[in-house]
Amino acid sequence: TLTVEKKKISVETYGETKVYDAIVLDKGGVVNELVAGESVTLNTPNTILNVGSVRNEYTITWDNAKESNYRIVSETIGTLEIDYRPITVSLVSGQTKVYGDADPEPFSVNIDGTAYPELIAFNVARVAGENVGTYDVTVSGNEYQGNYQVSFVSGTFSITKRVLTVTADDKNVVYTNAVPVYTATYNGFANGDD
């Protein structure tokens, strides 16, 4: 009696880890030790787009090979994993206003590193004060937003001096008369100053 044993094969599906980039991650795999001339299709239907992980499971389509002739003795299942993408939200440097003017609304920030333009939530607040000087401006928000790990970079905001124009009023005096009181007109006061 002749006994034909099943052919031993191994299956491997590939894994990969990458940073979120708004592109679906999928990987194939391989079936090893098939008999020459016979073929199968290794299907790996699992994919991942957002942060997380999934096993790269498989099914086999037996093309011109007979499943009953084979025995899977080893399988290695890969993992598809997407990590948070680091981005930075930072205050644009060099922002100023002239004393007496309103603050910029909103303050300008840069958002660097997103995979494509999308909404990132953040708050901007500056230290109170309206006198000439430099004030700290804090940029803050949630560290993890969707597929992103967000770093916040604060900065400063400056209030600069306002130009004040003083114009002397014209005066006429008749010879031998008393010298008139000199007066002037001021233009440019702000915030109730005078």
Side-chain angles (χ1 to χ4, degrees), residues 23-191:
I23 298 173
V24 171
L25 175 61
D26 61 352
K27 300 296 288 184
V30 63
V31 178
N32 296 307
E33 291 111 27
L34 287 171
V35 171
E38 295 190 351
S39 65
V40 299
T41 300
L42 185 66
N43 309 295
T44 51
N46 287 350
T47 63
I48 188 169
L49 174 62
N50 298 310
V51 168
S53 64
V54 63
R55 281 168 54 88
N56 194 16
E57 303 285 2
Y58 71 91
T59 61
I60 295 175
T61 301
W62 300 88
D63 299 332
N64 68 342
K66 296 184 74 173
E67 182 178 3
S68 59
N69 290 332
Y70 290 93
R71 179 162 63 95
I72 299 172
V73 295
S74 172
E75 64 175 16
T76 303
I77 307 299
T79 299
L80 307 176
E81 184 172 3
I82 295 181
D83 291 337
Y84 286 98
R85 185 180 188 89
I87 65 172
T88 302
V89 178
S90 57
L91 185 75
V92 173
S93 63
Q95 296 184 72
T96 66
K97 75 169 184 176
V98 174
Y99 171 74
D101 289 351
D103 283 2
E105 184 60 42
F107 283 96
S108 297
V109 300
N110 285 327
I111 301 176
D112 296 316
T114 55
Y116 63 93
E118 56 188 303
L119 182 63
I120 300 297
F122 58 89
N123 302 305
V124 179
R126 82 166 176 91
V127 172
E130 292 299 330
N131 292 323
V132 170
T134 300
Y135 297 84
D136 289 334
V137 180
T138 301
V139 183
S140 61
N142 293 328
E143 180 180 5
Y144 292 97
Q145 300 188 36
N147 294 302
Y148 297 100
Q149 182 178 9
V150 189
S151 297
F152 299 95
V153 180
S154 300
T156 59
F157 174 75
S158 296
I159 299 177
T160 60
K161 293 182 177 181
R162 189 176 193 88
V163 174
L164 178 65
T165 303
V166 181
T167 304
D169 298 329
D170 292 334
K171 298 290 182 178
N172 295 315
V173 61
V174 177
Y175 180 66
T176 72
N177 287 357
V179 176
V181 175
Y182 293 112
T183 58
T185 301
Y186 298 87
N187 184 38
F189 280 123
N191 290 346

